[in-house]
Amino acid sequence: MKLKLDEQGHVVVQDGKPVYVHDDGKEVAFDAVGTVSTIGRLNAEAKSHRERAETAENTLKSFDGIADPDAARKALKVIENLDSKKLVDAGEIEKVKTEVAKALEQKYQPYVEKSERLEAELHGEKVGGAFTRSKLIGERFAIPADLVQAKFGSAFSLEEGKIVAKDSSGNKIYSRSSPGELAGFDEALEILVDAYPHKDHILKGSGSSGSGAQGGGSQGGKRTVTRSQFDSMSQTDQLAMAKSAQKGEVTIVD
């Protein structure tokens, strides 16, 4: 990326931050102070990871000479079953342990199911609510928030109570304006939509035309989509387009 300059060759500044232009043409105000802070935090995290790895490596050294872990575990179980120097049948002990574990599992299964249900409700509230409240969807999308969520919702998840977005390769999406930080909901959604090959079918018309425009043109102020373009869409996009047509936002022509 490169600095954005005005007509006099001066650096363009936004909110006290120099503006950079990425290779794809997007302009981002670079937060140098925030970036330095993030780099320091990441360095501290890297040091912590290294120290944990060294601790784990040193711990593993204490197991040198144990070639068969299963045999070692079996021997420990035999020792646990020694009572007054009498070797109790390990098979019976294991049977009792299995029955106890089964009883506990049955007892606490309702609580596990409740926890899973509450976790699903929390995900629906936070992630679903983010789609409903999104300013980006309200301003730029030609389809309602629930259809946007149906298409892109699987890219968002909750991690430690925070919404995290991942791309099609499973990589977390990071912010362009705050390097090193995870992208916020709207910024992540915008990045996902920019990479979507049929984005022109779900975004509001921008008035573009010519060989570079996709998804039809306009007619009487309304966006138009040809039947062949409609047939080439996925079922989700066809449903969204049909709803837009019912509202009079789009005209499908033969």
Side-chain angles (χ1 to χ4, degrees):
M1 58 184 183
K2 58 184 179 180
L3 281 169
K4 181 178 180 181
L5 306 177
D6 58 19
E7 296 178 353
Q8 287 75 37
H10 300 144
V11 175
V12 175
V13 178
Q14 178 181 329
D15 298 329
K17 304 172 185 176
V19 177
Y20 281 83
V21 181
H22 285 263
D23 293 339
D24 59 4
K26 286 189 177 294
E27 298 180 0
V28 176
F30 181 70
D31 185 357
V33 175
T35 299
V36 171
S37 176
T38 298
I39 291 173
R41 175 175 56 79
L42 293 177
N43 285 337
E45 291 177 359
K47 179 182 178 182
S48 176
H49 295 327
R50 185 178 67 255
E51 291 175 346
R52 285 201 299 270
E54 291 174 351
T55 300
E57 184 177 351
N58 291 331
T59 300
L60 286 175
K61 290 180 180 178
S62 63
F63 293 93
D64 286 346
I66 301 178
D68 190 343
D70 290 334
R73 280 191 287 268
K74 184 176 180 179
L76 288 174
K77 285 185 178 180
V78 172
I79 293 174
E80 290 174 358
N81 291 326
L82 287 174
D83 181 19
S84 299
K85 298 184 179 179
K86 290 185 179 180
L87 186 62
V88 181
D89 186 354
E92 289 299 318
I93 296 296
E94 288 305 314
K95 182 178 179 180
V96 173
K97 289 182 179 179
T98 300
E99 291 299 324
V100 171
K102 184 178 180 181
L104 289 174
E105 182 179 353
Q106 292 176 345
K107 179 179 179 179
Y108 290 103
Q109 183 62 28
Y111 299 99
V112 174
E113 293 176 352
K114 182 178 180 180
S115 176
E116 292 174 348
R117 184 172 64 255
L118 290 175
E119 184 176 352
E121 291 175 356
L122 176 62
H123 180 278
E125 166 60 25
K126 299 206 75 172
V127 176
F131 278 92
T132 302
R133 296 184 293 269
S134 172
K135 182 179 179 181
L136 177 71
I137 294 176
E139 293 179 349
R140 292 189 54 193
F141 282 75
I143 59 176
D146 58 341
L147 293 182
V148 180
Q149 183 177 0
K151 179 61 185 175
F152 300 99
S154 60
F156 294 87
S157 61
L158 283 181
E159 294 186 9
E160 297 181 356
K162 295 182 179 180
I163 297 178
V164 176
K166 297 181 181 179
D167 59 22
S168 58
S169 299
N171 300 314
K172 292 181 180 180
I173 298 177
Y174 285 84
S175 172
R176 285 183 165 182
S177 59
S178 300
E181 299 291 344
L182 292 174
F185 178 83
D186 274 1
E187 184 179 6
L189 179 59
E190 183 178 17
I191 292 173
L192 289 169
V193 172
D194 284 343
Y196 181 51
H198 303 297
K199 62 182 178 181
D200 290 333
H201 296 312
I202 60 176
L203 296 176
K204 293 179 180 178
S206 60
S208 59
S209 62
S211 59
Q214 300 178 13
S218 60
Q219 187 179 73
K222 296 182 180 179
R223 184 177 166 204
T224 61
V225 175
T226 65
R227 176 61 61 179
S228 60
Q229 290 173 330
F230 180 83
D231 292 339
S232 66
M233 298 179 190
S234 65
Q235 289 185 343
T236 300
D237 291 341
Q238 286 182 343
L239 177 60
M241 192 61 64
K243 288 192 175 184
S244 296
Q246 290 177 349
K247 295 179 181 179
E249 300 171 346
V250 176
T251 300
I252 301 176
V253 297
D254 294 329

